[in-house]
Structures are given as C-alpha cells and as structure tokens.
Amino acid sequence: MGNLARADTHNPEEREGEMNRTLAIVKPDAVGSGKAGKILAHLEKAGFTIKAMKMTRLTQLQAGRFYEVHRERPFFDSLLAFMTSGPCLPVVLEAEGAIPRLRETIGATDPVEAAPGTIRALYAENKERNAIHGSDSDENAAREIAFFFSDQEVLELSG
Ligand code: IDP
Ligand code: MG
C-alpha cells in the first residue's frame, strides 16, 4: 500500500485506501424468493465488507420518503406497493470507492440492460422488481444510511 494521501482529503481517517460506505437494499422480490444470501455473497465477492444490516418491512410512508425524488414518476405508486410488499434488507457496505463500485456491481436499472454478471442481470425479475438498490452519490449514501441506521448504530460501526 502506498502512502499517497489525496491532496483533497482533509480527514486523516479517510486517507488509507479511500474506504467509504454506501447503502444497498436487497429488495422484497429477492428476499421473498430466497436470493438474499446469494446476493450478499455476491457483494462480498465484489470486495464489499458488510458493516451493518437489518431486516425490515417499509411502511408506505417510509417508502415514499425514501423514494421522494421519484414522487412525480408514473411508476411511483407501483414502486411503493412493491417496496412495501414484504421484508427488505438494508445493508451498509464498505469498500474503496464504494458508491461507484456498488452501482457497477448491481448493473443497470432494467435487467435486460444490465451487464452480464451483475446482480440485476443475475437476479432481477424486471425493471421494477430489480432485486437491489444502490445509493447513487456520496450525498445520497449518507442520507440513505442515516435513513435506516441510527447515529448510535453508525457510531458503533466506526469503532
Ligand atoms: P436505480 O435503482 O437503478 O437507481 P432509479 O431510476 O433511481 O433506478 O429508480 C428507482 C427504482 O424505481 C428502480 O430501482 C426500480 O425499482 C423502479 N423503477 C425505475 N424506473 C422504473 C420504470 O420505468 N418502471 C418501473 N419501475 C421503475
Ligand atoms: Mg436511483
């Protein structure tokens, strides 16, 4: 390991290997069809460390808040019905370059467009029931981790 801290890195704790965290959610289709274990194994094989996870079932209100940005989309009501249809599994993942790495590992939203070998290519049913969520930016990763995990849980993670 070189000791080349990036010039724009101010927090010394963030220097080593540029480790950071993102949020995945194993969605209700994948949990319900017994694919959660395979998906977690896929994520570990792709270089992520699981830092926290919990099985939960979203309420309509929670799903609406989580997907607030899509409220005006034609698929919003259907997405909420899907996301509240059964348990899901939010997971905090750590890796170097975690946010882009997760997006690459999960593949395109629609499984027919997802690159071969990606989680969605392997496990998604269709564009809506697509097995897994991944945060799309640093800002959203922080927001989405905080959405599911309390300050105390996150603090305990950093120990
Ligand atoms: P992403 O999950 O790949 O980031 P987004 O565009 O952020 O995709 O959409 C959020 C979720 O909404 C998708 O993962 C999928 O479950 C659902 N979704 C997105 N586009 C469509 C669509 O055109 N039809 C049905 N569901 C969709
Ligand atoms: Mg998205």
Side-chain angles (χ1 to χ4, degrees):
M1 278 280 150
N3 197 20
L4 301 169
R6 276 195 347 209
D8 62 350
T9 299
H10 302 296
N11 180 351
E13 287 174 5
E14 287 177 11
R15 280 183 190 166
E16 199 178 330
E18 300 292 335
M19 298 295 275
N20 45 42
R21 289 172 182 169
T22 189
L23 185 89
I25 305 174
V26 183
K27 292 185 178 183
D29 58 325
V31 173
S33 59
K35 295 169 187 160
K38 285 194 176 110
I39 289 172
L40 293 174
H42 190 117
L43 291 167
E44 289 187 323
K45 212 175 287 178
F48 294 97
T49 302
I50 296 171
K51 301 300 288 187
M53 66 180 169
K54 62 173 72 162
M55 186 76 81
T56 186
R57 184 168 181 169
L58 294 177
T59 65
Q60 197 78 3
L61 196 68
Q62 287 173 318
R65 280 173 48 222
F66 187 82
Y67 281 118
E68 191 63 51
V69 62
H70 295 309
R71 191 169 289 278
E72 303 306 323
R73 302 284 201 92
F75 58 80
F76 183 73
D77 288 349
S78 176
L79 176 61
L80 261 51
F82 162 51
M83 289 301 294
T84 59
S85 66
C88 66
L89 190 63
V91 186
V92 178
L93 296 169
E94 187 172 82
E96 288 182 30
I99 288 103
R101 185 191 294 226
L102 179 61
R103 295 297 300 196
E104 202 179 313
T105 303
I106 72 181
T109 309
D110 189 336
V112 304
E113 289 165 15
T118 58
I119 290 174
R120 283 168 167 170
L122 290 167
Y123 303 114
E125 293 175 24
N126 55 49
K127 191 174 184 180
E128 178 174 87
R129 299 171 61 85
N130 60 0
I132 188 165
H133 166 84
S135 305
D136 64 5
S137 66
D138 288 4
E139 189 188 354
N140 282 335
R143 178 184 81 84
E144 293 174 359
I145 289 170
F147 187 92
F148 287 106
F149 297 92
S150 70
D151 280 357
Q152 184 152 358
E153 285 169 318
V154 175
L155 279 177
E156 283 168 6
L157 292 180
S158 16

